[in-house]
Amino acid sequence: MKNKHHAIVIGLNSYPVSGLSPLKGPVNDAEDFSAWLRDPQGGNLPEEHIQCILSSDFAKDASLPFPNQIEVLFEPFITKGVQGRCGERLYVFVAGHGFGDPGDMGTTALYAANARKMFPWHVAITDYVDWLQRHAVFDEIVLLMDCCRTINVYHEVKEPQYPTSKGRIGADKVRFFYAFAVGRGRIARERRFEDGRDSGIFTRAILHALETASPKDGKITGQQLKNQIHNSIGKFAGDIQIEPPVIRLDSSQDITFLHRKSARTVPVQVRLEPYNGDETLLLSDGNFQQIREDQAKGAKGAMRTLELEPGLYKIAVKNTDRQQIFEVPNHAEIIV
C-alpha cells in the first residue's frame, strides 16, 4: 500500500449556464482512474488518500461544483507545504471543459460547473501544481488533464489565492510527469467505446498504457508511458480526428510508475556465503544503476530467487566488498 501517495481526482460533465456543451465522459474517466489508483496492481493508494469530486456528486444542482469546492481539495497540501514536504507522490487527474491562458503557453484551467461567458468561473489547475512543485511538497507529481486547452480572448486564467512565496530549495529535484490531452489552443475529444461507456480518448490511452506497458528491468517509467500513449492513441480515437497529446517529463529524473514482472523473466538463484542473517542485497543493471534493494532475513535468507529479464547485472552485499557481475540467462546461480 502506497501510504505516502495522494491523489486529487476531478470529473465534470455538467455546464448548464455556460453555453458549453454537456460532456458524457469526464465522470466515467474520473471513476476509472480512481479505480486504477485503488487497484493493488495499479496505484495501490489507500481509499482515504484519494480526494474526488464529480458532477454526479451534485445530482440536485447541475451548476455545482463551484470553484471553491474544487480548490478546497488542494488546500491541505498547500497548508502543509508552507512548512515542508507532504509525501512521496501526488496524482492530479482532471477531466472536463478547460481552456488555456492567452498570455501563457503552459497555463491550463478547468471551467467550474457554474461558468458563464461573462463570468468564466474556473480553477487554475496548473498554477496549483506549479506551486506544489516550487515548494517541493511532494517528491513526485503526476498531472493528467483530459480537457480542451482552447484560448478564450475574453479572459485570462486567474491565479489562485494561495500563500505567496519564492519556493523552496530542492524544487529542481521534484520528478514530474505532466500530460495534457492536447496542445495549447486545441480541442480534446471523447467518444463512446465498444464497452458502451463514454470516455475521453486520452484517458483511455493513459489507462491502457498503465495496464499493458512492458516493463524494462521490472519498471514502468514515465518515458515508457509517454511512448506508448503516443503510439497507441490513434487506435483509441477510431474514426475521430484528434490532436496529439502533450507530455512533459525530465528523462534524467524519470518517475517509476509501477514495478511489474516481465513475461520474459528468468529465475536466477542467489546464494549468500557466508550468511549471518541480516545482509542487504543490492542489485544493479548493466549500467550499474541500482534497481533493487532486498533484505535477506529469515531461515531461508541465504538463498534468494530473482526473476530478471535477459541482460547484464551486478549484485552486491551492502557495506561489504562482496559482489558479482553476471548475465541472464547465462547464469542460473550466483554465489556472493
Side-chain angles (χ1 to χ4, degrees), residues 39-306:
D39 186 350
Q41 304 302 315
N44 199 23
L45 270 68
E47 182 74 37
E48 62 272 19
H49 285 201
I50 304 171
Q51 308 302 314
C52 189
I53 190 165
L54 308 173
S55 291
S56 53
D57 297 335
F58 306 92
K60 294 183 180 180
D61 189 345
S63 64
L64 296 176
F66 293 157
N68 63 305
Q69 292 172 294
I70 299 170
E71 291 175 321
V72 73
L73 301 181
F74 291 91
E75 286 184 6
F77 305 125
I78 298 288
T79 301
K80 292 180 181 178
V82 171
Q83 303 300 321
R85 177 178 175 274
C86 279
E88 291 179 355
R89 180 182 299 175
L90 175 67
Y91 293 94
V92 179
F93 176 89
V94 178
H97 276 305
F99 70 99
D101 189 275
D104 189 316
M105 290 290 290
T107 300
T108 305
L110 175 74
Y111 283 116
N114 64 331
R116 288 179 283 167
K117 183 175 181 180
M118 298 305 293
F119 298 94
W121 307 115
H122 61 271
V123 178
I125 300 293
T126 53
D127 282 356
Y128 274 111
V129 170
D130 287 346
W131 193 98
L132 293 169
Q133 182 178 358
R134 288 199 313 273
H135 292 78
V137 181
F138 290 89
D139 302 332
E140 301 175 347
I141 300 178
V142 176
L143 171 64
L144 308 171
M145 294 195 72
D146 195 346
C147 59
C148 296
R149 300 176 73 190
T150 51
I151 306 302
N152 190 322
V153 297
Y154 294 105
H155 56 265
E156 299 176 343
V157 175
K158 183 179 179 181
E159 185 177 8
Q161 298 302 300
Y162 39 51
T164 301
S165 70
K166 295 181 180 180
R168 183 174 289 113
I169 294 173
D172 59 328
K173 299 298 182 183
V174 175
R175 293 179 289 276
F176 62 88
F177 182 91
Y178 294 167
F180 302 87
V182 289
R184 181 175 182 269
R186 310 296 183 177
I187 298 174
R189 302 291 184 182
E190 63 177 14
R191 74 177 183 91
R192 176 156 294 184
F193 284 81
E194 290 72 15
D195 59 6
R197 284 170 65 83
D198 293 285
S199 298
I201 293 168
F202 181 58
T203 297
R204 282 290 177 118
I206 291 169
L207 289 171
H208 183 263
L210 285 167
E211 292 165 359
T212 65
S214 297
K216 182 178 181 182
D217 299 326
K219 299 186 294 186
I220 307 297
T221 66
Q223 186 63 55
Q224 288 170 267
L225 283 183
K226 177 179 178 178
N227 293 343
Q228 181 153 331
I229 291 167
H230 277 293
N231 291 335
S232 68
I233 196 165
K235 176 179 67 176
F236 293 96
D239 297 330
I240 298 176
Q241 283 292 119
I242 60 166
E243 299 287 342
V246 173
I247 301 175
R248 297 195 290 115
L249 55 88
D250 183 348
S251 58
S252 68
Q253 300 183 110
D254 203 351
I255 287 179
T256 297
F257 277 85
L258 298 162
H259 288 87
R260 180 181 296 154
K261 185 186 295 186
S262 170
R264 301 187 303 123
T265 58
V266 177
V268 177
Q269 299 290 328
V270 179
R271 184 184 301 278
L272 290 167
E273 293 184 2
Y275 172 60
N276 62 29
D278 61 358
E279 286 90 349
T280 299
L281 291 175
L282 305 177
L283 181 68
S284 301
D285 61 18
N287 295 317
F288 300 117
Q289 297 296 310
Q290 185 177 321
I291 59 175
R292 181 170 170 179
E293 182 171 319
D294 192 12
Q295 295 290 326
K297 292 185 177 181
K300 297 182 180 179
M303 177 68 78
R304 277 285 189 269
T305 300
L306 303 179

